[in-house]
Structures are given as C-alpha cells and as structure tokens.
Amino acid sequence: MQIDHLRQLGADFAALHTTVTTLDARPGSKLLQQLGPKILSVHELIGRTLVRLSVLDGSQYTAVPGSRSSLETLGEVVASASVAASQLARAVADNPLEAASFAGGPPVDDATTRRARHSEAEPLLTESLTTAAHHLDLCATCCQYTASGIARDLKDDPEHRRSWPRLSDAQYAALDRIAQVGARRYERRGKGTYVLAGDGKTIHAKPFGVLEEHRLIRTGTGATFGGQDIEVTTAGKLVLDIQKPGRAQPTSPDRVPTPGKGGGRRR
C-alpha cells in the first residue's frame, strides 16, 4: 500500500539526514569520498518519490477529497531533495583537493597556500552540508505527513469506507490480536499450516483466511517450518480503527492542522 511505501521513504530520508549531519566539513579527499555516496543516495530517493507520486496520480485516490495536497506535497519532496543533492554537489565543487597548479604557481606541498585554501573553503562547505541536511529533514517530515494524510483521507471518505470488508466479531478479534501481540504461521509436515499469536493462542483458519484475502495482514517470506512473521497492513490498521467496537462513525470529521507548503500537507 502506498502509505507503507511513503512511511519507509520518510524513514530513509531521515536516516540520510542523520548521516549528512555527521559529515566532517574539513576539506580534503576524505570529504570527497563521503559526499559521492550521499549524492547517489539522494538521487535514489528522488527516483522513489517520483514513483510514488506517479502511482498516486494514476490511482483512484485522486477522487478522494484532500488528495490534491498529497500530490503537491510529494512534488515539494522532489524539489527539496533536489536542493539537497545540489548542495552536496556544491560542496564537491568547493572542496579544495591537492593537485599541481599551473606552471609557476605555488608548489603542491606549500603549507601556507593549503591552509589559506582550506580556511576559505570550510565555511562554504559547512553551509552547504547544513542546507542539504535541512532539506533532507524536510523531505522526511513531508513524507510522514503525506502518509498520515492519505490514511486520514481514506478513513474519512465514505466511498472508501464502504469498499472495506465488514469484519465479524471473530475476524476483528483475530486482526486486533495480531496487531497487539504479533503472530507467526507454521507448517506441520503433512498436516497443513497453523497460526499462533504472540501470546501463544491459536488463530483459527477461517477468520485468518478472510484477513489474508482482503490483504489486512501480510505474511513474511521464508520457510513455514521455522515460522513466518505476520503483521497487520496499513489497510488492516484503518479497518481496526474504523470498526472499533463502540466507535462512532464520523460524518463531518475534524481535520488535524498540518504544516503549510514545504512543511507538510495543505488544506
């Protein structure tokens, strides 16, 4: 589901932000070696953001009230990430490397010249790295706001609520138990599979099958003999919230204020 992809994208932007903030702005070959992989990582994240934007743009989500701000915010993520990549590239250009000058110039090992060049470059490098980190942090925030906003839009939209399965008490209880304590699926040799919740209780096959059919849960890969982890998907979490016993269905939901352009979703 796109919400899961966006949350992972936000986490990856946040991780890259952290690594950029730890870069040492001292000029030299070491800095160059660190900048290259960071620039490639930013471009990879830009590519993934464009994929998410294209998928949402071509989906039924565009008919949901509030969806325009999600698309616009992802567009801002592409722009901010591009600024971050540009600032890291600027640091590459401003980073003085040791090599021979023109004939008649100062020798490569001239300490005074080297110190002067490094002294001039260091504040420029610091500024570029700081700006890049700021924009990566902004990207991470925007991705998380967009993911939360899409979840809210889908939950609040009557058309999408009607498209979700109405769970029986047993199915809801099974989904809620998996959400609370987790579950694993195992295989008995010649006797099929069975599912145990994290508290050791068995989850019966019929309600589990309904949850799996409607993609409210996700099963990990790997051999079933050793057990496969099962987790609740974003769709499953929305169904849990919407169909929670005793929860009134909102007809005119209040929206949580969100940041303006560049900082999150807009209404």
Side-chain angles (χ1 to χ4, degrees):
M1 194 173 187
Q2 297 307 311
I3 295 171
D4 293 324
H5 286 302
L6 286 170
R7 285 178 174 153
Q8 184 59 56
L9 187 60
D12 291 343
F13 268 118
L16 185 56
H17 161 261
T18 298
T19 63
V20 168
T21 60
T22 61
L23 290 178
D24 189 345
R26 285 181 294 182
S29 298
K30 184 178 180 181
L31 178 60
L32 175 63
Q33 293 166 6
Q34 296 178 80
L35 287 172
K38 301 297 183 293
I39 294 172
L40 293 175
S41 295
V42 177
H43 284 295
E44 189 264 338
L45 292 177
I46 291 172
R48 286 169 53 191
T49 305
L50 286 169
V51 170
R52 302 276 68 83
L53 180 58
S54 296
V55 171
L56 287 174
D57 179 55
S59 72
Q60 295 179 346
Y61 171 63
T62 55
V64 176
S67 58
R68 179 182 298 176
S69 63
S70 294
L71 303 186
E72 291 176 346
T73 303
L74 284 183
E76 293 294 337
V77 171
V78 172
S80 287
S82 297
V83 172
S86 176
Q87 288 296 307
L88 293 176
R90 184 68 258 168
V92 170
D94 290 335
N95 182 30
L97 301 174
E98 302 308 323
S101 180
F102 292 107
V108 175
D109 60 352
D110 185 277
T112 302
T113 301
R114 184 185 301 109
R115 282 196 298 270
R117 294 178 67 220
H118 285 202
S119 178
E120 180 181 355
E122 193 158 346
L124 299 177
L125 296 174
T126 299
E127 181 180 2
S128 292
L129 295 180
T130 300
T131 303
H134 166 73
H135 281 277
L136 291 172
D137 186 44
L138 187 62
C139 290
T141 300
C142 286
C143 286
Q144 298 297 349
Y145 267 115
T146 303
S148 298
I150 293 173
R152 184 170 61 245
D153 292 339
L154 295 178
K155 187 171 65 176
D156 293 346
D157 183 51
E159 292 299 322
H160 279 78
R161 285 206 300 270
R162 281 195 287 269
S163 69
W164 291 335
R166 185 69 196 179
L167 300 183
S168 67
D169 290 345
Q171 293 160 1
Y172 185 94
L175 183 61
D176 187 49
R177 180 173 294 164
I178 295 171
Q180 295 296 326
V181 299
R184 288 178 70 83
R185 174 155 54 187
Y186 300 90
E187 183 173 344
R188 297 188 186 95
R189 293 186 182 276
K191 296 183 179 180
T193 61
Y194 65 101
V195 178
L196 288 181
D199 57 8
K201 296 181 179 179
T202 299
I203 296 178
H204 295 292
K206 284 187 177 180
F208 182 85
V210 172
L211 303 181
E212 197 168 36
E213 177 185 354
H214 291 287
R215 299 182 180 179
L216 304 182
I217 54 175
R218 180 189 301 110
T219 303
T221 59
T224 52
F225 293 109
Q228 297 172 313
D229 286 326
I230 298 167
E231 61 180 10
V232 176
T233 64
T234 299
K237 293 173 184 176
L238 293 176
V239 169
L240 278 175
D241 187 46
I242 288 294
Q243 298 183 18
K244 186 175 182 179
R247 184 185 189 278
Q249 300 299 313
T251 54
S252 300
D254 294 329
R255 294 191 179 275
V256 179
T258 54
K261 187 171 183 179
R265 295 171 51 80
R266 303 192 299 286
R267 297 290 181 193

